[in-house]
Amino acid sequence: MKKALLLVIAILLVAGAAYGAGTIVGSKHDVRGAIADETTTQVCVFCHVPHNAATTWGGPLWNHANTLSTFGLYTSATLQGATSQPSGVSRACLSCHDGTVAINSLINAPKDGTAGTLTTMAAGPARLGTDLTNDHPVSITYRQDLDSGLRANVGATVPGTVWTAQLYGTASPYTVECASCHAVHDPTNVPFLRITNTASQMCTTCHLK
Ligand code: HEC
Ligand code: HEC
Ligand code: HEC
Ligand code: HEC
């Protein structure tokens, strides 16, 4: 009985490490840390707001100013799916990560504290810029019917052996977005990965390689 309980706890711990259960508070997405003179105590407000949020683009109850950039898109001789300008949740990420819009450029300012100086993301690997030709395609259709190297998808997900990958959109063809691979709130699997990529198991969920 005791052994069985320990086994259950061990399995839960392993699962926790694989899927993560961390908090955004204190992580790199607690972006208060990236703005020197920011005094709000709030963490969520840089991305979400409970009222008067953006409704036509971005993430849920989205509070971050949109990027107006036109992005360079990944292409190759073997690519089968169709790419388009980043949309939906990928655009939400790029509104900070393309480096053109300040991290604290918001639709609704926080009601506590005084707004910090407008600060764009510091140069470095996290600032992807507007040239996405050298990045894994996003807002790309998941076309297993055209590319047999992709695992079959079931609706908006790709069931793998260790993990089910999230696709986006409301109808087929569904798309791969930044958040298919990244868990924006959870720093457990650095850098904000939905599951650990040990032995590239995240990649092999979608790619039969
Ligand atoms: C750096 C930006 C950012 C911050 C800060 C942030 N979120 Fe999010 N949040 C997102 C994005 C992007 C999505 C959409 C994710 C997706 O489509 O998978 C999202 C989705 C959500 C969702 C709906 C989907 C889900 O995961 O349940 C909830 C609820 C949510 N966030 C709550 C919060 C709360 C509460 C906080 C503060 C403690 C917070 N978020 C902070 C970017 C952020
Ligand atoms: C959520 C599913 C998903 C995950 C996870 C994923 N990919 Fe992809 N990847 C795709 C799709 C869809 C394409 C576009 C394939 C096509 O249309 O030919 C693609 C394209 C690619 C391409 C370009 C293929 C070409 O023909 O130019 C490479 C290389 C690649 N992925 C590698 C990776 C690696 C490495 C990882 C892990 C870090 C990964 N992928 C994770 C879905 C995924
Ligand atoms: C409100 C601005 C903002 C939004 C929106 C945002 N990020 Fe970030 N992100 C940051 C900042 C700031 C950092 C830290 C950059 C640095 O360390 O130079 C960061 C870092 C990261 C990192 C690197 C983490 C590490 O451990 O090195 C990843 C991965 C990441 N973000 C992915 C995403 C994805 C995916 C989305 C959308 C689902 C997103 N971010 C949306 C501001 C944002
Ligand atoms: C196919 C999966 C996949 C997609 C889609 C994806 N990423 Fe990543 N991303 C990763 C992986 C895996 C890493 C870690 C790479 C490593 O360990 O070297 C990473 C690393 C990062 C980093 C850290 C900087 C770096 O070079 O290591 C940032 C920031 C980031 N991603 C943001 C984004 C944003 C923004 C998008 C959408 C425009 C996006 N990612 C789309 C898988 C993905």
Side-chain angles (χ1 to χ4, degrees), residues 90 93-94 97 125-128 132 136-138 176-178 180-182 191 193 197 202:
S90 295
C93 309
L94 289 163
H97 280 275
R127 196 166 92 185
L128 300 183
L132 302 181
H136 191 286
V138 292
V176 175
E177 306 293 346
C178 308
S180 296
C181 300
H182 290 286
L193 295 179
N197 203 21
M202 189 178 76

Side-chain angles (χ1 to χ4, degrees), residues 112-182:
D112 67 334
T114 40
T117 310
L118 288 179
T119 308
T120 47
M121 190 174 288
R127 196 166 92 185
L128 300 183
T130 59
D131 178 7
L132 302 181
T133 59
N134 56 358
D135 296 282
H136 191 286
V138 292
S139 299
I140 182 162
T141 54
Y142 193 99
R143 294 296 302 268
Q144 193 263 341
D145 53 330
L146 301 179
D147 183 346
S148 58
L150 291 173
R151 201 182 291 271
N153 63 315
V154 177
T157 59
V158 188
T161 47
V162 290
W163 170 65
T164 298
Q166 183 70 51
L167 301 177
Y168 285 79
T170 50
S172 182
Y174 296 97
T175 58
V176 175
E177 306 293 346
C178 308
S180 296
C181 300
H182 290 286

Side-chain angles (χ1 to χ4, degrees), residues 21-140:
T23 170
I24 193 169
V25 178
S27 76
K28 288 201 174 177
H29 275 163
D30 185 345
V31 300
R32 294 174 301 177
I35 308 157
D37 53 353
E38 185 56 59
T39 61
T40 180
T41 62
Q42 298 182 62
V43 177
C44 315
V45 73
F46 294 97
C47 293
H48 307 287
V49 70
H51 307 290
N52 303 311
T55 52
T56 54
W57 76 284
L61 293 175
W62 198 245
N63 193 33
H64 200 269
N66 196 354
T67 167
L68 301 176
S69 306
T70 303
F71 294 90
L73 303 180
Y74 176 87
T75 179
S76 85
T78 45
L79 197 70
Q80 301 296 322
T83 50
S84 62
Q85 284 295 312
S87 56
V89 70
S90 295
R91 200 163 190 92
C93 309
L94 289 163
S95 70
C96 282
H97 280 275
D98 78 355
T100 68
V101 184
I103 297 166
N104 50 340
S105 182
L106 306 181
I107 297 169
N108 294 305
K111 303 295 181 284
D112 67 334
T114 40
T117 310
L118 288 179
T119 308
T120 47
M121 190 174 288
R127 196 166 92 185
L128 300 183
T130 59
D131 178 7
L132 302 181
T133 59
N134 56 358
D135 296 282
H136 191 286
V138 292
S139 299
I140 182 162

